[in-house]
Amino acid sequence: MELEKKISIHYQINPFMEGEGFLFEIEKGDLPYAVFGSDCMEVARAVEGKAMPYRKRESTDELVPACFDVRTELYNILRRGISTVEEDGSVKLGEHSPEDLFPKICGIAVKDANVADQVAFLLEEKGYSLKKKFH
């Protein structure tokens, strides 16, 4: 079975670096996030930590580093006792749904253009097609 492996490259201001940088982000498709997430981590290691895998919270589109501390965040929410049951029966912890506390890796952030070229090359070697989108 062939899975589509499409990535958009955005050059924009983002929360991981001062000024603008490159965000390599998977396009929603049929590629399982587990495959893309492991590829992101492998590429980040290959460029020796000059790229940062990141996650996106589904409900707010907030970007967080892949290494953010879920335990501390969850502890603080539970300590404050901010959990509610919505009308549809779903549970909300603070302002986040449970899925938002454990978001999936959806991209790689890079500041330097030379490192971005390396990341692009490594992703293309893994079979990804890249589409540039500049804002």
Side-chain angles (χ1 to χ4, degrees), residues 32-52:
Y33 277 104
V35 171
F36 182 68
S38 66
D39 286 346
C40 283
M41 297 305 283
E42 196 174 310
V43 167
R45 276 189 226 98
V47 295
E48 300 168 354
K50 296 175 186 166
M52 175 191 298

Side-chain angles (χ1 to χ4, degrees), residues 5-17 20-28 31 33 35-41 43-44 47 50-56 63-66 104-135:
K5 295 174 130 183
K6 294 182 181 179
I7 294 178
S8 296
I9 305 170
H10 304 272
Y11 185 72
Q12 64 187 43
I13 294 174
N14 62 71
F16 307 116
M17 51 199 71
E20 296 180 329
F22 300 90
L23 293 178
F24 292 78
E25 186 168 88
I26 190 169
E27 291 189 9
K28 300 256 186 222
L31 182 66
Y33 277 104
V35 171
F36 182 68
S38 66
D39 286 346
C40 283
M41 297 305 283
V43 167
V47 295
K50 296 175 186 166
M52 175 191 298
Y54 64 88
R55 301 172 185 264
K56 183 186 284 187
L63 302 179
V64 293
K104 297 174 177 85
I105 292 177
C106 67
I108 302 172
V110 181
K111 177 68 176 171
D112 183 73
N114 293 328
V115 176
D117 283 339
Q118 285 180 296
V119 168
F121 176 76
L122 291 169
L123 288 170
E124 285 174 333
E125 272 191 335
K126 292 185 170 293
Y128 289 91
S129 62
L130 306 177
K131 182 165 70 174
K132 297 175 181 152
K133 295 181 175 183
F134 297 104
H135 302 278

